[in-house]
Amino acid sequence: MDTDRFWTVIESARAGGPDGKPGDKPFDEALVDLLAALSKEDILEFQTRFDEIHDAVYRWDVWAAAYLIGGGCSDDSFIDFRAGLIALGREWYERAAAAPDSLAGHPAVIEAGAAGRDEALFYEEVNYVASTAFERVAEDGEDFYEEWKRHRSVRGESGGGGSEPDMGEDFDFDDDEEMSRRLPRLAALYLDELVA
């Protein structure tokens, strides 16, 4: 499954899944339904693309955006935030990857900021759609994680333990002035007192 097909599957789920009825099911459930209609190998390839796209936004500037939107952001929450970026679809994902501050223009972020809520864009369930779909179609009790390990081995991937990714420049998320300088639009939505 190449990147374009990955995003086609994501957009199909955003449009309502195999039945094409937006809002009929939550995005993650519609995505599981779509994946469960594919072969097990395609589901594993989907997970490969998901991991690549998910890892591509493992950066300090994106984490800072998550920190503002979430009123703080732990390691685990940042995993969920990046899954939420993928759930937004290719256009918003690419905008956020290019300039995390652009998320200040997303309707869910604007609404949450105005209401003082911190749940916008965090979507834990999306992290597990491939495993859920695989388990739905697996025969003889095949385990997704065992098959995933085999799949990665066949592809020559070690499954971690490599060098640390380049996350860009680290900075203090609790420094309102720094956050306002780096993410001015998000800071305007989420910081109580902006530094002039």
Side-chain angles (χ1 to χ4, degrees), residues 35-118:
L35 292 174
L38 303 176
S39 70
K40 290 182 285 187
E41 197 63 26
D42 279 343
I43 295 169
L44 295 170
E45 281 297 314
F46 176 90
Q47 185 66 46
T48 299
R49 293 293 84 72
F50 181 89
D51 287 350
E52 290 170 357
I53 291 166
H54 193 262
D55 292 349
V57 287
Y58 185 65
R59 302 188 330 238
W60 291 118
D61 58 346
V62 177
W63 203 331
Y67 191 87
L68 284 172
I69 293 168
C73 186
S74 68
D75 295 351
D76 287 344
S77 292
F78 190 45
I79 291 169
D80 300 343
F81 182 81
R82 291 179 287 143
L85 291 180
I86 293 169
L88 294 178
R90 189 175 201 164
E91 180 182 345
W92 273 104
Y93 171 89
E94 289 178 350
R95 280 189 203 181
D101 199 38
S102 68
L103 290 169
H106 191 278
V109 173
I110 293 168
E111 181 183 330
R117 295 190 324 264
D118 60 6

Side-chain angles (χ1 to χ4, degrees), residues 176-177 180 184 186-196:
D176 288 357
E177 184 175 343
S180 295
L186 283 170
L189 286 173
Y190 285 97
L191 292 179
D192 292 332
E193 297 178 17
L194 292 177
V195 178

Side-chain angles (χ1 to χ4, degrees), residues 31-40 43 46 128-138 144:
L31 185 52
V32 167
D33 289 347
L34 284 166
L35 292 174
L38 303 176
S39 70
K40 290 182 285 187
I43 295 169
F46 176 90
Y128 310 110
V129 294
S131 63
T132 302
F134 188 92
E135 290 167 8
R136 188 185 291 178
V137 300
F144 172 77

Side-chain angles (χ1 to χ4, degrees), residues 135-162:
E135 290 167 8
R136 188 185 291 178
V137 300
E139 301 165 0
D140 301 324
E142 292 172 296
D143 179 70
F144 172 77
Y145 296 100
E146 287 300 316
E147 288 299 311
W148 178 235
K149 191 185 315 181
R150 179 204 55 80
H151 180 78
R152 290 178 59 88
S153 174
V154 167
R155 293 173 50 96
E157 299 172 7
S158 65

